[in-house]
Amino acid sequence: MKFLKLTFRNAGRHTLRTVLTVFGMAIAVMAFAVIRTAIEAWYSQAEASSPNRLVTMNNVSIVFTLPLAYQSKIEAVPGVNTVAHAQWFGGVYIDAKNFFPKFAIEAEPYLKMYPEWVVPEDQKEAFLKERNAAMIGRKLADRFGWKVGDAVRIVGDIFPGDWDFVIRAIYTGAKENTDENSWMFHYEYLDERMRRETPARAGEVAWFVVQIDDPTRATALSEQIDALFKNSPAETKTQTEEAFALSFVAMSGSIIAGMQIISVMVIGIILLVLANTMAMTARERISEYAVLKTLGFSPKHIVGLIFGESLVIAVLGGALGIALTFPIVGLMKLALSAYFGAFPLPALTFILAGGSAVVVGLLAAIFPASKALRTTIVDGLRVID
Protein backbone atom coordinates (compact mmCIF):
# COMPACT_ATOMS: atom_id res chain seq x y z
CA MET A 1 0.00 0.00 0.00
CA LYS A 2 2.84 2.40 0.89
CA PHE A 3 4.50 1.54 -2.42
CA LEU A 4 1.32 2.45 -4.34
CA LYS A 5 0.98 5.68 -2.38
CA LEU A 6 4.56 6.60 -3.27
CA THR A 7 3.89 5.79 -6.94
CA PHE A 8 0.84 8.07 -7.07
CA ARG A 9 2.69 10.85 -5.26
CA ASN A 10 5.54 10.61 -7.76
CA ALA A 11 3.05 10.88 -10.63
CA GLY A 12 1.63 14.07 -9.11
CA ARG A 13 4.86 15.84 -8.24
CA HIS A 14 4.90 17.80 -11.50
CA THR A 15 1.19 18.46 -11.74
CA LEU A 16 1.15 20.49 -14.96
CA ARG A 17 3.41 18.06 -16.82
CA THR A 18 1.40 15.06 -15.62
CA VAL A 19 -1.93 16.68 -16.51
CA LEU A 20 -0.73 17.60 -20.01
CA THR A 21 0.64 14.10 -20.58
CA VAL A 22 -2.61 12.52 -19.37
CA PHE A 23 -4.60 14.74 -21.73
CA GLY A 24 -2.24 13.87 -24.57
CA MET A 25 -2.76 10.18 -23.87
CA ALA A 26 -6.53 10.72 -23.66
CA ILE A 27 -6.70 12.47 -27.03
CA ALA A 28 -4.56 9.77 -28.65
CA VAL A 29 -6.66 6.93 -27.24
CA MET A 30 -9.87 8.73 -28.15
CA ALA A 31 -8.60 9.33 -31.71
CA PHE A 32 -7.65 5.66 -32.01
CA ALA A 33 -11.12 4.52 -30.87
CA VAL A 34 -12.94 7.05 -33.07
CA ILE A 35 -10.96 6.05 -36.17
CA ARG A 36 -11.70 2.39 -35.51
CA THR A 37 -15.40 3.26 -35.07
CA ALA A 38 -15.38 5.08 -38.42
CA ILE A 39 -13.87 1.99 -40.06
CA GLU A 40 -16.48 -0.22 -38.37
CA ALA A 41 -19.20 2.11 -39.71
CA TRP A 42 -17.91 1.45 -43.23
CA TYR A 43 -18.38 -2.27 -42.76
CA SER A 44 -21.63 -2.16 -40.76
CA GLN A 45 -23.82 -2.26 -43.89
CA ALA A 46 -22.15 -5.48 -45.03
CA GLU A 47 -22.64 -7.01 -41.58
CA ALA A 48 -26.37 -6.22 -41.82
CA SER A 49 -26.77 -8.34 -44.95
CA SER A 50 -28.63 -11.64 -44.97
CA PRO A 51 -26.87 -14.92 -45.89
CA ASN A 52 -29.89 -16.16 -47.85
CA ARG A 53 -29.96 -13.20 -50.23
CA LEU A 54 -27.91 -13.00 -53.44
CA VAL A 55 -27.47 -10.04 -55.75
CA THR A 56 -27.23 -10.44 -59.52
CA MET A 57 -25.79 -7.50 -61.44
CA ASN A 58 -24.10 -6.86 -64.79
CA ASN A 59 -20.75 -8.62 -64.95
CA VAL A 60 -19.04 -5.44 -66.21
CA SER A 61 -20.26 -2.98 -63.58
CA ILE A 62 -23.34 -1.97 -61.67
CA VAL A 63 -23.48 1.06 -63.97
CA PHE A 64 -24.56 -1.24 -66.80
CA THR A 65 -28.10 -2.57 -66.67
CA LEU A 66 -29.70 -5.97 -67.14
CA PRO A 67 -32.88 -6.82 -69.05
CA LEU A 68 -35.92 -7.22 -66.82
CA ALA A 69 -36.64 -10.38 -68.81
CA TYR A 70 -33.84 -12.14 -66.89
CA GLN A 71 -36.06 -12.30 -63.81
CA SER A 72 -38.28 -15.18 -64.99
CA LYS A 73 -35.20 -17.30 -65.82
CA ILE A 74 -33.66 -16.69 -62.41
CA GLU A 75 -36.95 -17.53 -60.68
CA ALA A 76 -36.94 -20.91 -62.47
CA VAL A 77 -33.62 -21.98 -60.91
CA PRO A 78 -34.22 -24.72 -58.29
CA GLY A 79 -33.41 -23.39 -54.83
CA VAL A 80 -34.50 -19.83 -55.63
CA ASN A 81 -37.48 -18.72 -53.58
CA THR A 82 -38.11 -15.12 -54.63
CA VAL A 83 -36.60 -12.60 -57.02
CA ALA A 84 -37.10 -8.82 -57.04
CA HIS A 85 -35.56 -6.15 -59.24
CA ALA A 86 -34.29 -2.67 -58.47
CA GLN A 87 -32.80 0.35 -60.18
CA TRP A 88 -30.51 3.09 -58.84
CA PHE A 89 -32.40 6.36 -59.45
CA GLY A 90 -29.98 9.12 -58.47
CA GLY A 91 -31.79 12.47 -58.50
CA VAL A 92 -31.45 15.66 -56.49
CA TYR A 93 -33.65 17.04 -53.74
CA ILE A 94 -33.37 20.88 -53.92
CA ASP A 95 -29.55 20.83 -53.81
CA ALA A 96 -26.89 18.24 -54.62
CA LYS A 97 -25.56 18.46 -51.06
CA ASN A 98 -28.85 16.91 -49.84
CA PHE A 99 -27.65 13.50 -50.98
CA PHE A 100 -29.44 10.31 -49.99
CA PRO A 101 -29.75 7.00 -51.88
CA LYS A 102 -32.88 6.58 -53.97
CA PHE A 103 -33.99 3.28 -55.44
CA ALA A 104 -36.81 2.17 -57.68
CA ILE A 105 -37.83 -1.27 -56.40
CA GLU A 106 -40.31 -4.02 -57.11
CA ALA A 107 -42.05 -3.20 -53.88
CA GLU A 108 -44.07 -6.22 -52.79
CA PRO A 109 -41.41 -8.97 -53.05
CA TYR A 110 -38.76 -6.55 -51.84
CA LEU A 111 -40.63 -5.88 -48.60
CA LYS A 112 -41.06 -9.63 -48.05
CA MET A 113 -37.33 -10.23 -48.51
CA TYR A 114 -36.30 -7.46 -46.11
CA PRO A 115 -38.07 -8.18 -42.82
CA GLU A 116 -35.53 -5.91 -41.09
CA TRP A 117 -37.47 -2.94 -42.52
CA VAL A 118 -40.25 -2.51 -39.98
CA VAL A 119 -43.21 -0.69 -41.53
CA PRO A 120 -46.60 -0.07 -39.88
CA GLU A 121 -49.16 -2.22 -41.67
CA ASP A 122 -51.45 0.66 -42.68
CA GLN A 123 -48.50 2.59 -44.13
CA LYS A 124 -47.30 -0.49 -46.02
CA GLU A 125 -50.74 -0.93 -47.62
CA ALA A 126 -50.88 2.73 -48.59
CA PHE A 127 -47.39 2.51 -50.13
CA LEU A 128 -48.23 -0.59 -52.16
CA LYS A 129 -51.47 0.88 -53.54
CA GLU A 130 -50.20 4.21 -54.85
CA ARG A 131 -47.97 4.32 -57.95
CA ASN A 132 -45.96 7.44 -57.00
CA ALA A 133 -45.76 6.58 -53.31
CA ALA A 134 -42.40 6.59 -51.55
CA MET A 135 -41.16 4.67 -48.52
CA ILE A 136 -38.30 6.26 -46.58
CA GLY A 137 -36.17 5.45 -43.57
CA ARG A 138 -36.71 7.03 -40.17
CA LYS A 139 -33.33 8.81 -40.11
CA LEU A 140 -33.98 10.29 -43.54
CA ALA A 141 -37.42 11.49 -42.42
CA ASP A 142 -35.92 13.10 -39.32
CA ARG A 143 -33.14 14.71 -41.35
CA PHE A 144 -35.58 16.67 -43.55
CA GLY A 145 -38.53 16.81 -41.16
CA TRP A 146 -40.68 14.69 -43.48
CA LYS A 147 -43.79 12.89 -42.35
CA VAL A 148 -46.32 10.55 -43.94
CA GLY A 149 -48.42 12.42 -46.50
CA ASP A 150 -45.77 14.97 -47.49
CA ALA A 151 -45.37 15.64 -51.22
CA VAL A 152 -41.75 15.77 -52.38
CA ARG A 153 -40.30 16.59 -55.79
CA ILE A 154 -37.00 15.00 -56.89
CA VAL A 155 -35.21 16.38 -59.93
CA GLY A 156 -33.84 13.49 -61.96
CA ASP A 157 -30.31 13.38 -63.32
CA ILE A 158 -29.88 9.78 -64.48
CA PHE A 159 -33.56 9.83 -65.38
CA PRO A 160 -34.20 13.48 -66.35
CA GLY A 161 -37.30 15.40 -65.40
CA ASP A 162 -39.28 16.36 -62.33
CA TRP A 163 -40.47 13.39 -60.32
CA ASP A 164 -43.27 13.97 -57.83
CA PHE A 165 -43.73 11.60 -54.91
CA VAL A 166 -45.94 11.31 -51.85
CA ILE A 167 -44.40 9.78 -48.73
CA ARG A 168 -46.72 6.97 -47.68
CA ALA A 169 -44.51 4.91 -45.36
CA ILE A 170 -41.62 5.41 -42.95
CA TYR A 171 -39.69 2.32 -41.94
CA THR A 172 -37.42 1.74 -38.97
CA GLY A 173 -34.62 -0.78 -38.75
CA ALA A 174 -35.08 -3.99 -36.78
CA LYS A 175 -31.34 -3.92 -36.04
CA GLU A 176 -29.01 -1.10 -35.07
CA ASN A 177 -27.03 -1.43 -38.31
CA THR A 178 -30.10 -1.49 -40.59
CA ASP A 179 -29.90 1.43 -42.98
CA GLU A 180 -32.58 4.09 -42.36
CA ASN A 181 -31.41 6.64 -44.91
CA SER A 182 -32.91 5.22 -48.10
CA TRP A 183 -35.68 6.48 -50.32
CA MET A 184 -37.61 3.79 -52.22
CA PHE A 185 -40.42 3.98 -54.68
CA HIS A 186 -42.16 1.75 -57.21
CA TYR A 187 -40.12 0.58 -60.19
CA GLU A 188 -43.31 0.68 -62.26
CA TYR A 189 -43.53 4.45 -61.75
CA LEU A 190 -40.08 4.81 -63.28
CA ASP A 191 -40.54 2.24 -66.02
CA GLU A 192 -43.89 3.57 -67.24
CA ARG A 193 -42.43 7.02 -67.74
CA MET A 194 -39.39 5.58 -69.48
CA ARG A 195 -41.65 3.71 -71.89
CA ARG A 196 -43.37 7.01 -72.78
CA GLU A 197 -40.34 9.29 -72.96
CA THR A 198 -37.28 7.06 -73.58
CA PRO A 199 -38.44 3.62 -74.73
CA ALA A 200 -34.87 2.39 -75.19
CA ARG A 201 -34.31 2.65 -71.40
CA ALA A 202 -37.50 0.85 -70.41
CA GLY A 203 -37.38 -2.68 -69.03
CA GLU A 204 -33.85 -2.28 -67.70
CA VAL A 205 -32.81 -2.87 -64.09
CA ALA A 206 -29.57 -2.42 -62.15
CA TRP A 207 -29.76 -5.63 -60.12
CA PHE A 208 -31.91 -8.50 -58.95
CA VAL A 209 -32.14 -9.55 -55.32
CA VAL A 210 -32.46 -13.33 -55.14
CA GLN A 211 -33.72 -15.07 -52.02
CA ILE A 212 -32.53 -18.68 -51.79
CA ASP A 213 -33.71 -21.53 -49.59
CA ASP A 214 -30.28 -22.69 -48.38
CA PRO A 215 -27.43 -20.22 -47.63
CA THR A 216 -24.89 -23.06 -47.83
CA ARG A 217 -25.68 -23.36 -51.56
CA ALA A 218 -25.04 -19.68 -52.26
CA THR A 219 -21.91 -20.32 -54.32
CA ALA A 220 -23.45 -23.12 -56.38
CA LEU A 221 -26.63 -21.16 -57.07
CA SER A 222 -24.62 -18.08 -58.00
CA GLU A 223 -22.69 -20.08 -60.59
CA GLN A 224 -25.92 -21.65 -61.84
CA ILE A 225 -27.56 -18.25 -62.34
CA ASP A 226 -24.53 -16.77 -64.10
CA ALA A 227 -24.34 -19.80 -66.40
CA LEU A 228 -27.84 -18.97 -67.69
CA PHE A 229 -26.59 -15.74 -69.24
CA LYS A 230 -23.07 -16.75 -70.25
CA ASN A 231 -22.07 -15.38 -73.69
CA SER A 232 -25.16 -13.15 -73.73
CA PRO A 233 -24.92 -9.39 -74.48
CA ALA A 234 -25.33 -8.74 -70.74
CA GLU A 235 -23.53 -11.42 -68.72
CA THR A 236 -24.27 -11.46 -65.01
CA LYS A 237 -22.28 -11.57 -61.81
CA THR A 238 -24.07 -13.11 -58.86
CA GLN A 239 -22.70 -12.84 -55.33
CA THR A 240 -23.91 -12.87 -51.78
CA GLU A 241 -25.45 -9.69 -50.48
CA GLU A 242 -22.52 -9.32 -48.09
CA ALA A 243 -20.00 -9.55 -50.94
CA PHE A 244 -22.10 -7.05 -52.91
CA ALA A 245 -21.98 -4.58 -49.99
CA LEU A 246 -18.24 -5.18 -49.47
CA SER A 247 -17.61 -4.37 -53.14
CA PHE A 248 -18.74 -0.80 -52.38
CA VAL A 249 -16.49 -0.74 -49.30
CA ALA A 250 -13.59 -1.87 -51.48
CA MET A 251 -14.01 1.31 -53.57
CA SER A 252 -12.93 3.20 -50.45
CA GLY A 253 -10.11 0.77 -49.68
CA SER A 254 -7.38 3.39 -49.91
CA ILE A 255 -9.21 5.70 -47.50
CA ILE A 256 -9.74 2.88 -45.00
CA ALA A 257 -6.10 1.76 -45.26
CA GLY A 258 -5.03 5.37 -44.68
CA MET A 259 -7.23 5.61 -41.60
CA GLN A 260 -5.75 2.40 -40.21
CA ILE A 261 -2.24 3.72 -40.70
CA ILE A 262 -3.15 7.00 -39.00
CA SER A 263 -4.59 5.15 -36.01
CA VAL A 264 -1.29 3.30 -35.53
CA MET A 265 0.71 6.51 -36.00
CA VAL A 266 -1.37 8.22 -33.31
CA ILE A 267 -0.37 5.56 -30.81
CA GLY A 268 3.27 5.82 -31.91
CA ILE A 269 3.32 9.59 -31.39
CA ILE A 270 1.88 9.42 -27.90
CA LEU A 271 4.40 6.68 -27.08
CA LEU A 272 7.14 9.16 -27.86
CA VAL A 273 5.45 11.86 -25.76
CA LEU A 274 5.07 9.62 -22.72
CA ALA A 275 8.58 8.19 -23.16
CA ASN A 276 9.94 11.74 -23.19
CA THR A 277 8.02 12.57 -20.02
CA MET A 278 9.31 9.51 -18.23
CA ALA A 279 12.88 10.14 -19.44
CA MET A 280 12.72 13.70 -18.02
CA THR A 281 11.34 12.34 -14.75
CA ALA A 282 14.06 9.71 -14.42
CA ARG A 283 16.81 12.21 -15.22
CA GLU A 284 15.51 14.60 -12.55
CA ARG A 285 15.39 11.83 -9.93
CA ILE A 286 18.73 10.16 -10.45
CA SER A 287 19.97 11.50 -7.10
CA GLU A 288 16.77 10.34 -5.37
CA TYR A 289 17.18 6.82 -6.76
CA ALA A 290 20.76 6.83 -5.45
CA VAL A 291 19.48 7.77 -1.98
CA LEU A 292 16.86 5.00 -2.16
CA LYS A 293 19.55 2.48 -3.06
CA THR A 294 21.65 3.72 -0.12
CA LEU A 295 18.66 3.18 2.19
CA GLY A 296 18.36 -0.41 1.02
CA PHE A 297 15.77 -0.24 -1.75
CA SER A 298 16.42 -3.07 -4.18
CA PRO A 299 16.56 -2.64 -8.02
CA LYS A 300 13.09 -4.15 -8.32
CA HIS A 301 11.71 -1.39 -6.08
CA ILE A 302 13.32 1.30 -8.27
CA VAL A 303 12.00 -0.36 -11.44
CA GLY A 304 8.57 -0.75 -9.82
CA LEU A 305 8.40 2.95 -8.99
CA ILE A 306 9.28 4.01 -12.55
CA PHE A 307 6.97 1.49 -14.25
CA GLY A 308 4.22 2.26 -11.74
CA GLU A 309 4.37 6.00 -12.39
CA SER A 310 4.35 5.45 -16.16
CA LEU A 311 1.39 3.07 -15.92
CA VAL A 312 -0.57 5.46 -13.69
CA ILE A 313 -0.24 8.25 -16.28
CA ALA A 314 -1.01 5.90 -19.19
CA VAL A 315 -4.02 4.28 -17.54
CA LEU A 316 -5.48 7.63 -16.46
CA GLY A 317 -5.04 8.91 -20.01
CA GLY A 318 -6.53 5.74 -21.48
CA ALA A 319 -9.55 5.83 -19.20
CA LEU A 320 -10.19 9.50 -19.97
CA GLY A 321 -9.77 8.81 -23.71
CA ILE A 322 -12.29 5.96 -23.62
CA ALA A 323 -14.73 8.15 -21.69
CA LEU A 324 -14.35 10.91 -24.31
CA THR A 325 -15.00 8.44 -27.13
CA PHE A 326 -18.74 8.21 -26.37
CA PRO A 327 -19.63 11.91 -26.84
CA ILE A 328 -17.36 12.22 -29.89
CA VAL A 329 -18.97 9.19 -31.56
CA GLY A 330 -22.35 10.72 -30.65
CA LEU A 331 -21.37 13.87 -32.56
CA MET A 332 -20.23 11.71 -35.49
CA LYS A 333 -23.66 10.07 -35.57
CA LEU A 334 -25.34 13.46 -35.79
CA ALA A 335 -23.00 14.71 -38.50
CA LEU A 336 -22.66 11.57 -40.64
CA SER A 337 -25.83 9.57 -40.06
CA ALA A 338 -26.90 10.42 -43.62
CA TYR A 339 -23.99 8.41 -44.99
CA PHE A 340 -23.56 5.55 -42.52
CA GLY A 341 -26.27 3.34 -41.11
CA ALA A 342 -24.61 2.71 -37.75
CA PHE A 343 -21.58 3.60 -35.69
CA PRO A 344 -20.90 0.43 -33.72
CA LEU A 345 -18.69 0.56 -30.64
CA PRO A 346 -17.67 -3.08 -30.18
CA ALA A 347 -15.90 -4.24 -27.03
CA LEU A 348 -12.83 -5.02 -29.15
CA THR A 349 -12.35 -1.29 -29.81
CA PHE A 350 -12.15 -0.55 -26.09
CA ILE A 351 -9.93 -3.55 -25.44
CA LEU A 352 -7.50 -2.39 -28.13
CA ALA A 353 -7.62 1.24 -26.97
CA GLY A 354 -7.12 0.34 -23.30
CA GLY A 355 -4.51 -2.28 -24.18
CA SER A 356 -2.61 0.24 -26.30
CA ALA A 357 -2.51 2.66 -23.36
CA VAL A 358 -1.08 -0.03 -21.06
CA VAL A 359 1.50 -1.14 -23.65
CA VAL A 360 2.56 2.47 -24.22
CA GLY A 361 2.91 2.92 -20.45
CA LEU A 362 5.15 -0.15 -20.19
CA LEU A 363 7.30 0.70 -23.22
CA ALA A 364 7.78 4.30 -22.12
CA ALA A 365 9.24 3.14 -18.78
CA ILE A 366 11.85 0.77 -20.20
CA PHE A 367 14.55 3.35 -21.03
CA PRO A 368 14.30 5.42 -17.80
CA ALA A 369 14.23 2.24 -15.68
CA SER A 370 17.29 0.90 -17.49
CA LYS A 371 19.14 4.18 -16.95
CA ALA A 372 18.24 4.25 -13.25
CA LEU A 373 19.57 0.72 -12.79
CA ARG A 374 22.82 1.42 -14.66
CA THR A 375 23.60 4.53 -12.59
CA THR A 376 25.74 3.75 -9.54
CA ILE A 377 25.06 5.26 -6.11
CA VAL A 378 28.20 7.40 -6.32
CA ASP A 379 27.35 8.74 -9.78
CA GLY A 380 23.78 9.35 -8.71
CA LEU A 381 24.77 11.35 -5.62
CA ARG A 382 27.08 13.53 -7.74
CA VAL A 383 24.12 14.72 -9.82
CA ILE A 384 23.09 18.23 -8.86
CA ASP A 385 19.73 19.64 -10.05
Side-chain angles (χ1 to χ4, degrees), residues 190-378:
L190 171 67
D191 195 56
E192 286 171 359
R193 184 162 168 178
M194 287 297 100
R195 290 185 187 283
R196 291 197 307 271
E197 299 178 359
T198 319
R201 301 184 67 185
E204 297 289 320
V205 301
W207 64 83
F208 297 99
V209 178
V210 182
Q211 189 175 55
I212 58 177
D213 59 1
D214 184 0
T216 62
R217 297 184 60 213
T219 303
L221 288 172
S222 297
E223 293 173 353
Q224 202 170 340
I225 291 170
D226 291 340
L228 293 173
F229 311 107
K230 194 172 180 60
N231 296 322
S232 69
E235 294 189 351
T236 60
K237 178 182 179 181
T238 303
Q239 54 194 332
T240 62
E241 191 178 57
E242 181 181 16
F244 179 69
L246 287 175
S247 66
F248 288 95
V249 176
M251 295 178 188
S252 307
S254 298
I255 298 174
I256 294 173
M259 292 170 68
Q260 290 172 332
I261 292 171
I262 290 172
S263 68
V264 175
M265 289 177 64
V266 165
I267 296 299
I269 291 170
I270 196 57
L271 169 62
L272 296 177
V273 172
L274 184 57
N276 182 59
T277 299
M278 292 310 301
M280 290 170 61
T281 300
R283 186 170 60 249
E284 292 169 357
R285 297 179 190 163
I286 286 295
S287 59
E288 293 182 22
Y289 295 145
V291 172
L292 291 176
K293 290 177 182 177
T294 304
L295 294 175
F297 279 75
S298 65
K300 70 177 182 182
H301 287 122
I302 305 297
V303 170
L305 284 173
I306 296 172
F307 271 85
E309 183 176 349
S310 181
L311 280 173
V312 166
I313 294 173
V315 169
L316 285 175
L320 182 59
I322 289 174
L324 288 173
T325 299
F326 292 98
I328 297 299
V329 170
L331 292 175
M332 285 175 62
K333 286 181 180 177
L334 291 176
L336 301 174
S337 61
Y339 305 99
F340 297 98
F343 288 85
L345 276 171
L348 180 62
T349 295
F350 298 115
I351 292 172
L352 290 175
S356 298
V358 172
V359 170
V360 165
L362 293 172
L363 292 176
I366 291 176
F367 175 73
S370 174
K371 185 177 180 181
L373 291 178
R374 290 198 312 269
T375 304
T376 64
I377 293 176
V378 175

Side-chain angles (χ1 to χ4, degrees), residues 56 66-72 74-75 82-88 103-110 113 185-188 190-191 203-210:
T56 299
L66 295 171
L68 181 58
Y70 280 12
Q71 183 162 340
S72 57
I74 298 173
E75 287 172 337
T82 312
V83 181
H85 52 267
Q87 177 67 283
W88 173 262
F103 307 100
I105 63 171
E106 188 185 9
E108 197 159 351
Y110 233 91
M113 284 194 283
F185 64 97
H186 294 278
Y187 174 82
E188 291 80 1
L190 171 67
D191 195 56
E204 297 289 320
V205 301
W207 64 83
F208 297 99
V209 178
V210 182

Side-chain angles (χ1 to χ4, degrees), residues 1-210:
M1 185 59 73
K2 289 182 179 178
F3 186 80
L4 284 177
K5 189 181 292 183
L6 183 58
T7 301
F8 278 97
R9 283 187 176 179
N10 278 343
R13 284 171 63 176
H14 292 279
T15 308
L16 180 60
R17 187 164 69 196
T18 300
V19 168
L20 291 176
T21 306
V22 167
F23 271 103
M25 278 291 301
I27 291 172
V29 170
M30 181 268 293
F32 176 81
V34 168
I35 291 172
R36 275 195 57 84
T37 302
I39 295 172
E40 291 285 343
W42 237 292
Y43 287 96
S44 64
Q45 194 64 38
E47 292 171 356
S49 56
S50 171
N52 68 342
R53 290 196 295 254
L54 307 178
V55 178
T56 299
M57 53 179 273
N58 192 296
N59 189 37
V60 179
S61 165
I62 198 171
V63 175
F64 296 90
T65 57
L66 295 171
L68 181 58
Y70 280 12
Q71 183 162 340
S72 57
K73 295 182 179 178
I74 298 173
E75 287 172 337
V77 175
V80 170
N81 288 341
T82 312
V83 181
H85 52 267
Q87 177 67 283
W88 173 262
F89 180 71
V92 175
Y93 172 64
I94 300 178
D95 192 284
K97 67 181 181 183
N98 297 326
F99 171 80
F100 51 86
K102 309 169 196 71
F103 307 100
I105 63 171
E106 188 185 9
E108 197 159 351
Y110 233 91
L111 287 174
K112 289 179 181 174
M113 284 194 283
Y114 285 86
E116 58 266 41
W117 297 341
V118 181
V119 191
E121 201 57 38
D122 58 331
Q123 294 183 20
K124 183 191 295 185
E125 290 180 9
F127 170 64
L128 292 175
K129 286 177 181 175
E130 197 167 337
R131 186 70 89 196
N132 68 332
M135 182 181 77
I136 66 175
R138 168 51 62 191
K139 289 181 181 176
L140 182 62
D142 293 342
R143 178 183 171 191
F144 293 102
W146 286 328
K147 58 185 183 301
V148 172
D150 284 355
V152 179
R153 171 169 289 180
I154 304 291
V155 178
D157 42 19
I158 300 174
F159 301 95
D162 293 336
W163 297 78
D164 294 316
F165 299 95
V166 179
I167 296 173
R168 291 302 182 197
I170 297 176
Y171 71 90
T172 54
K175 303 175 184 176
E176 185 188 6
N177 55 0
T178 302
D179 174 57
E180 294 182 359
N181 289 297
S182 293
W183 172 288
M184 286 165 278
F185 64 97
H186 294 278
Y187 174 82
E188 291 80 1
Y189 182 50
L190 171 67
D191 195 56
E192 286 171 359
R193 184 162 168 178
M194 287 297 100
R195 290 185 187 283
R196 291 197 307 271
E197 299 178 359
T198 319
R201 301 184 67 185
E204 297 289 320
V205 301
W207 64 83
F208 297 99
V209 178
V210 182

